[in-house]
Amino acid sequence: MASRVDSEYQLLYSADEEPDIQHHDVMIHQVPDNGKSRWNHIENLDEFFTRVYHYHQRSGFLCMVLEDVLQLVQFVFVVIFSVFLLQCVDYDVLFANKLYNTTHKVTIDEAVRPASQCFNSLPAVIVISILVASLFWILRLLKVIYNISKYFEMMSFYNYALKISSKELPNMTWHDVQERLLDVQREQQMCIHKQELSGLDIYHRILRFKNYEVAMINKSLLPLKFNLPFLGEYTFLSTGLKYNLEFLLFWGLWSPFENYWHLRPDYKVQQKRKELANYLSDRMLWVGLINLMLSPVIFLWQILYCFFRYAEIIKREPGTLGARRWSLYGRLYLRHFNELDHEFMARLNRGYNQASKYMNIFLSPVMAIVAKNIAFFAGSILAVLIVLAVIDEDTLQAQHILTIMTLCGGVVAICRVFIPDENMIYNPEQLLTLVLAEVHYMPDHWRGKAHTYQVRDEFSQLFQFKMLYILEEMLSPLVTPLILILSVRHKALEIVDFFRHFTVEVTGVGDVCSFAQMDVRKHGNPQWVRESVTEANQYTQAEDGKTELSLMHFTLTNPAWKPPADCSMFLQEIKEHAEEDCHTMTEGPVSDNPLMSSLYAVNSAGTGYTSINVSGVPPGITVTGSADSQQTVRGSISKTEGPLGGSGKGILSSLQTSGVLNYNSFGGLNDTSMSSLNLTQQPPVSLAKNNENLMAEINSTEMAISALYMHELHRRRRLTGRTPAQLNELRARTLWRQHSETLPNIAENKQELGGAATESEEELNGDDLTDLTLATVELHNQVISKSS
């Protein structure tokens, strides 16, 4: 008699027979459906979805394993090579400081000490450094082994659950992967707390802590700005400081989160705020002290790493130090809520060239003159030495000739950084507007002051010199402990209050930052939305239009997501107002038109952009998309934002759907420009689906115009204190007052109109009053024509 097996083997009964334990002679092998059971009820969905995203963005299993293994090799190389340079090289022999031989040049073998001499008497500092480095490397090795097992698991998930092979991966957008991920959730229930997940749920899990960081920067909670002598206000956020803050606030042993998806219950209780603040402050102090103790070793590592990483680049291209990069603080300030890394970096990359041009405007004339002359002197010496070397190569054997040539070449390259381009046009407002079209955020007080050094200095906090970034990273081990001990820990109470006030629990997701919900009613800014739409106050509102712009961006990149009613209403109002402005453009020239201003601004970007002409607008006015689009699609679409064919949820798509805007693809794709999108009075023509590059740029074009348009609406609301509809009504009332005697059929209270006119004249001044006058004249012509 066969024994019962409690595994994959089960007894076989007939269809109409009840199980009988006395008869179990027949057995079958039931193969489990691993494809459906393996991914059911995943405990840590935050980590799982993050690995799914990284697997896609890092190009699959082989690339990820190769990168991790080579990083381990690189670490070993840096340690061994550093010890070799310090202990094994006889620099007196190498530099001929002592007489070694007179028959031939010094060879490498003669300049290197034997291994027995190298390692017999190592200084204590080097021994301690090697021990610390070895411990760190072993921990890294264990982590890499663990990650490789996860990479293999993720490869299986892609192959069997998502049905995406390694060859197909580079040609899949993240939007495509996410759609398949949602299908797997419906079939296998990876999350058992919710039947169906949305795109926002996946973004919340991947970006849970990142959204908190963005919100903290937006509300100026973290003390990262300091007033330094001779330098003024300076923003400091290095990789080391950022790592320590994330450890303390999100994933460390003492962080407010008990796991990846839940805030500790005590942080939701107001009565415990002071107790928790003292506890968090003490932990910040201890972490700061530990950083202070380890700072010499970390500082030494930073110097070695920066030297090995940048020395060759600086030697080959000394001007690299004069190049710029987006600072770590800028990357948090400019980031939308719920914006993945590839979406965010695509925006920053598109805005890089315009930002560089803007900063180059402020090159000092004095420095330019000095740099030109220094470059002339160094270039002259370099030219003579090159000619002599060409005539007789023995010239290079003269002492320090190669050193002088290298230094002169470096000096010339560095001086070029301070010499402005002769063909550069001075137009700071236009350039800053082009930067805004891509990065989407700009403080209100920058408008109209782009030519000032105040705005330049503030923008440089977001867009810093690469040389300054390297210096910050090298000094970070010394500065980070001081900031943690002297500055951050005193913000502990405000941080505890922030977690309590701005954490909400979402079904199937867990605790998330409430700002990441992009709810305009809870966190909308009254200067960006109608006051009747939002209930936010100064403390709960997001600054600089973060909620509104994030909502627009997420809608474009995730068209299948259905926003809440208030958010949908806000987006619909934006589109309806754009339609009104577009109709106004076709009826005649109107100066104070937000849509016209946005189209003018994006048009000035020049070649390499998608162009859109608007019917009724004077010739030459076009809407442009994203510059240098060939950099976005490089034989792969894995970095593309949103769906490849566009979302159909933006302002331009809305204008097309309403019949105001017609897309028409014409012209060919060449090396310098993209196909254009023509807005004419012809019947609507669907966008050519075979133009892959053009498809990839639709969302970025939509978002650039949407950002400029929303900023323009915000400017009008901020200056006048009125909504766009109220402002149009105010113009009409002012017009009727002026023509009440010539238009007797229009009944109006003159006293009321006079009050409105006085109020409008007080609120609008300067350029806005000029724009209002032009708009009033246009409305006057319309009223006259209708009265006739």
Side-chain angles (χ1 to χ4, degrees):
M1 182 179 295
S3 62
R4 184 187 179 98
V5 181
D6 296 326
S7 61
E8 299 172 356
Y9 295 90
Q10 299 181 3
L11 299 180
L12 179 65
Y13 307 105
S14 63
D16 57 350
E17 181 183 8
E18 290 293 329
D20 184 3
I21 61 174
Q22 301 299 326
H23 305 281
H24 43 278
D25 298 332
V26 181
M27 304 184 66
I28 66 169
H29 180 205
Q30 183 180 19
V31 180
D33 190 351
N34 291 330
K36 290 189 176 180
S37 62
R38 186 175 183 181
W39 315 111
N40 178 266
H41 187 196
I42 297 174
E43 182 178 358
N44 190 348
L45 277 175
D46 282 33
E47 182 184 17
F48 183 79
F49 286 155
T50 302
R51 290 187 181 278
V52 171
Y53 174 72
H54 287 162
Y55 187 90
H56 173 258
Q57 292 298 305
R58 294 175 62 185
S59 304
F61 179 80
L62 180 60
C63 293
M64 298 173 76
V65 172
L66 188 62
E67 182 179 358
D68 287 359
V69 171
L70 289 181
Q71 283 184 353
L72 288 176
V73 175
Q74 185 184 91
F75 185 91
V76 173
F77 171 79
V78 170
V79 174
I80 294 178
F81 192 52
S82 300
V83 174
F84 172 80
L85 292 177
L86 292 175
Q87 292 296 117
C88 299
V89 178
D90 191 338
Y91 291 99
D92 289 333
V93 174
L94 181 64
F95 296 148
N97 292 333
K98 65 179 181 180
L99 185 61
Y100 185 79
N101 67 72
T102 59
T103 59
H104 61 275
K105 293 183 179 180
V106 176
T107 63
I108 294 179
D109 292 336
E110 294 172 342
V112 175
R113 299 189 182 98
S116 58
Q117 295 182 7
C118 292
F119 304 107
N120 283 343
S121 58
L122 291 176
V125 175
I126 294 181
V127 173
I128 295 175
S129 299
I130 293 176
L131 291 176
V132 173
S134 301
L135 178 62
F136 180 77
W137 188 84
I138 293 173
L139 295 176
R140 286 280 300 271
L141 176 63
L142 296 176
K143 184 177 180 180
V144 167
I145 295 174
Y146 172 78
N147 286 339
I148 290 176
S149 67
K150 291 296 182 179
Y151 298 159
F152 186 81
E153 177 184 349
M154 197 52 55
M155 181 176 64
S156 300
F157 179 75
Y158 266 81
N159 290 336
Y160 300 113
L162 299 182
K163 303 295 190 297
I164 301 175
S165 65
S166 300
K167 292 182 179 180
E168 296 174 326
L169 191 62
N171 294 318
M172 300 282 291
T173 66
W174 168 250
H175 183 266
D176 297 331
V177 175
Q178 182 175 279
E179 290 298 312
R180 298 198 184 189
L181 194 60
L182 296 176
D183 291 338
V184 173
Q185 162 64 18
R186 298 185 190 99
E187 296 174 359
Q188 304 187 28
Q189 289 296 297
M190 295 180 293
C191 175
I192 63 173
H193 303 289
K194 197 173 184 180
Q195 183 70 22
E196 290 192 9
L197 296 177
S198 66
L200 183 61
D201 294 334
I202 294 178
Y203 274 65
H204 275 166
R205 286 192 174 275
I206 297 176
L207 300 168
R208 188 189 305 273
F209 298 149
K210 183 64 68 176
N211 283 328
Y212 275 105
E213 293 179 40
V214 173
M216 288 179 176
I217 294 296
N218 182 255
K219 298 299 294 183
S220 301
L221 177 63
L222 300 177
L224 303 176
K225 295 184 177 181
F226 309 93
N227 288 317
L228 302 179
F230 308 109
L231 295 178
E233 187 178 72
Y234 188 85
T235 303
F236 183 88
L237 180 61
S238 64
T239 304
L241 177 58
K242 184 171 178 289
Y243 179 87
N244 278 274
L245 290 175
E246 291 174 348
F247 173 81
L248 286 165
L249 300 180
F250 302 120
W251 55 267
L253 296 176
W254 310 300
S255 72
F257 284 84
E258 61 181 0
N259 52 41
Y260 280 100
W261 55 91
H262 275 305
L263 190 70
R264 298 183 190 274
D266 290 348
Y267 279 84
K268 300 178 181 180
V269 180
Q270 183 177 4
Q271 288 75 11
K272 295 186 177 182
R273 58 191 292 265
K274 292 186 177 179
E275 176 186 349
L276 292 172
N278 292 332
Y279 176 84
L280 185 60
S281 178
D282 291 341
R283 297 306 175 271
M284 290 178 176
L285 175 62
W286 281 110
V287 171
L289 292 175
I290 294 173
N291 273 268
L292 191 61
M293 293 173 56
L294 296 177
S295 59
V297 178
I298 302 176
F299 179 63
L300 177 62
W301 165 258
Q302 288 289 78
I303 293 178
L304 294 175
Y305 181 78
C306 290
F307 174 79
F308 291 131
R309 181 176 181 182
Y310 296 107
E312 190 275 334
I313 298 177
I314 294 173
K315 177 183 179 297
R316 177 166 38 90
E317 300 178 9
T320 303
L321 294 177
R324 291 183 176 269
R325 70 185 304 275
W326 298 101
S327 66
L328 293 180
Y329 172 81
R331 294 175 190 232
L332 289 176
Y333 174 82
L334 298 174
R335 190 165 189 155
H336 292 303
F337 295 123
N338 303 308
E339 185 175 25
L340 293 172
D341 290 343
H342 75 282
E343 299 168 348
F344 179 56
M345 292 310 300
R347 284 200 299 117
L348 294 189
N349 292 340
R350 288 195 298 269
Y352 181 87
N353 289 336
Q354 304 299 343
S356 296
K357 291 178 181 178
Y358 172 73
M359 294 302 295
N360 289 339
I361 287 178
F362 294 93
L363 295 176
S364 171
V366 176
M367 286 297 298
I369 295 173
V370 174
K372 286 181 181 179
N373 284 273
I374 293 178
F376 172 79
F377 299 141
S380 301
I381 297 174
L382 178 61
V384 171
L385 293 179
I386 292 176
V387 171
L388 292 176
V390 171
I391 296 174
D392 188 355
E393 63 179 10
D394 291 337
T395 305
L396 299 177
Q397 298 180 6
Q399 191 175 20
H400 301 313
I401 286 296
L402 289 177
T403 303
I404 295 174
M405 294 178 66
T406 302
L407 290 177
C408 289
V411 169
V412 171
I414 293 175
C415 287
R416 288 176 182 171
V417 176
F418 300 96
I419 301 175
D421 184 0
E422 297 178 355
N423 301 315
M424 183 176 60
I425 300 176
Y426 183 83
N427 196 342
E429 287 292 341
Q430 178 183 2
L431 288 173
L432 196 58
T433 302
L434 293 178
V435 175
L436 175 63
E438 299 298 350
V439 302
H440 302 167
Y441 292 102
M442 183 178 76
D444 293 333
H445 65 272
W446 285 9
R447 182 179 290 273
K449 299 180 180 179
H451 61 283
T452 63
Y453 278 91
Q454 176 190 357
V455 174
R456 191 282 306 265
D457 293 340
E458 293 180 6
F459 186 71
S460 65
Q461 304 287 340
L462 310 178
F463 196 59
Q464 62 182 174
F465 280 115
K466 184 172 291 187
M467 177 177 60
L468 188 60
Y469 163 75
I470 297 174
L471 183 61
E472 285 183 354
E473 291 300 316
M474 291 176 61
L475 296 178
S476 176
L478 306 179
V479 178
T480 294
L482 300 179
I483 295 178
L484 291 175
I485 295 172
L486 303 177
S487 184
V488 176
R489 61 186 296 260
H490 298 299
K491 288 281 187 176
L493 183 60
E494 296 180 36
I495 293 174
V496 171
D497 289 339
F498 181 89
F499 280 118
R500 187 178 71 258
H501 289 140
F502 300 121
T503 297
V504 294
E505 184 174 359
V506 178
T507 304
V509 178
D511 292 331
V512 300
C513 180
S514 61
F515 286 102
Q517 293 291 97
M518 301 175 295
D519 190 344
V520 293
R521 180 162 295 278
K522 292 183 178 180
H523 298 300
N525 194 314
Q527 292 185 350
W528 288 78
V529 299
R530 287 187 294 108
E531 294 183 359
S532 59
V533 173
T534 181
E535 300 173 352
N537 53 34
Q538 185 66 37
Y539 180 70
T540 59
Q541 72 183 23
E543 308 299 334
D544 301 322
K546 181 73 75 173
T547 299
E548 296 77 13
L549 289 167
S550 298
L551 176 62
M552 177 65 76
H553 179 268
F554 190 82
T555 304
L556 291 177
T557 54
N558 295 269
W561 176 65
K562 296 180 180 179
D566 293 329
C567 298
S568 297
M569 184 183 302
F570 166 74
L571 295 173
Q572 187 60 32
E573 288 179 356
I574 295 291
K575 296 173 185 177
E576 290 176 355
H577 196 272
E579 292 180 15
E580 295 177 5
D581 289 338
C582 197
H583 282 299
T584 306
M585 286 193 297
T586 60
E587 294 173 359
V590 180
S591 299
D592 191 16
N593 187 303
L595 187 59
M596 174 71 80
S597 301
S598 302
L599 302 185
Y600 264 117
V602 187
N603 170 60
S604 57
T607 60
Y609 281 68
T610 303
S611 299
I612 301 174
N613 290 328
V614 183
S615 60
V617 180
I621 300 174
T622 58
V623 180
T624 61
S626 301
D628 301 328
S629 58
Q630 62 272 18
Q631 297 178 1
T632 306
V633 182
R634 299 185 297 270
S636 169
I637 58 174
S638 60
K639 306 296 183 182
T640 302
E641 305 165 82
L644 189 60
S647 64
K649 294 294 187 72
I651 291 178
L652 294 180
S653 299
S654 175
L655 296 178
Q656 181 190 21
T657 303
S658 64
V660 180
L661 176 69
N662 298 326
Y663 287 122
N664 178 28
S665 177
F666 68 90
L669 188 65
N670 53 50
D671 294 336
T672 58
S673 63
M674 292 182 59
S675 296
S676 298
L677 299 175
N678 186 23
L679 176 62
T680 66
Q681 295 179 346
Q682 301 172 354
V685 180
S686 61
L687 197 59
K689 297 298 182 182
N690 58 351
N691 192 334
E692 187 178 87
N693 279 18
L694 189 56
M695 293 292 100
E697 289 302 308
I698 290 178
N699 273 338
S700 58
T701 303
E702 288 268 24
M703 191 60 216
I705 295 175
S706 299
L708 290 176
Y709 184 67
M710 293 171 69
H711 271 276
E712 193 63 28
L713 292 180
H714 161 65
R715 181 184 69 89
R716 298 172 70 198
R717 182 179 283 112
R718 181 173 60 88
L719 291 177
T720 64
R722 300 176 182 273
T723 64
Q726 292 173 332
L727 185 59
N728 290 336
E729 180 182 359
L730 177 61
R731 289 172 176 156
R733 290 166 64 88
T734 305
L735 172 65
W736 291 337
R737 179 183 65 82
Q738 294 175 349
H739 299 281
S740 58
E741 296 181 358
T742 59
L743 301 174
N745 293 331
I746 300 178
E748 185 65 47
N749 186 322
K750 292 185 178 181
Q751 182 177 0
E752 182 182 358
L753 282 174
T758 302
E759 185 180 3
S760 66
E761 292 173 358
E762 291 176 354
E763 292 179 346
L764 299 177
N765 52 72
D767 295 337
D768 298 286
L769 186 57
T770 302
D771 294 342
L772 176 59
T773 304
L774 293 173
T776 304
V777 172
E778 174 60 24
L779 286 175
H780 161 66
N781 295 334
Q782 297 176 23
V783 173
I784 294 296
S785 61
K786 292 179 181 179
S787 300
S788 301

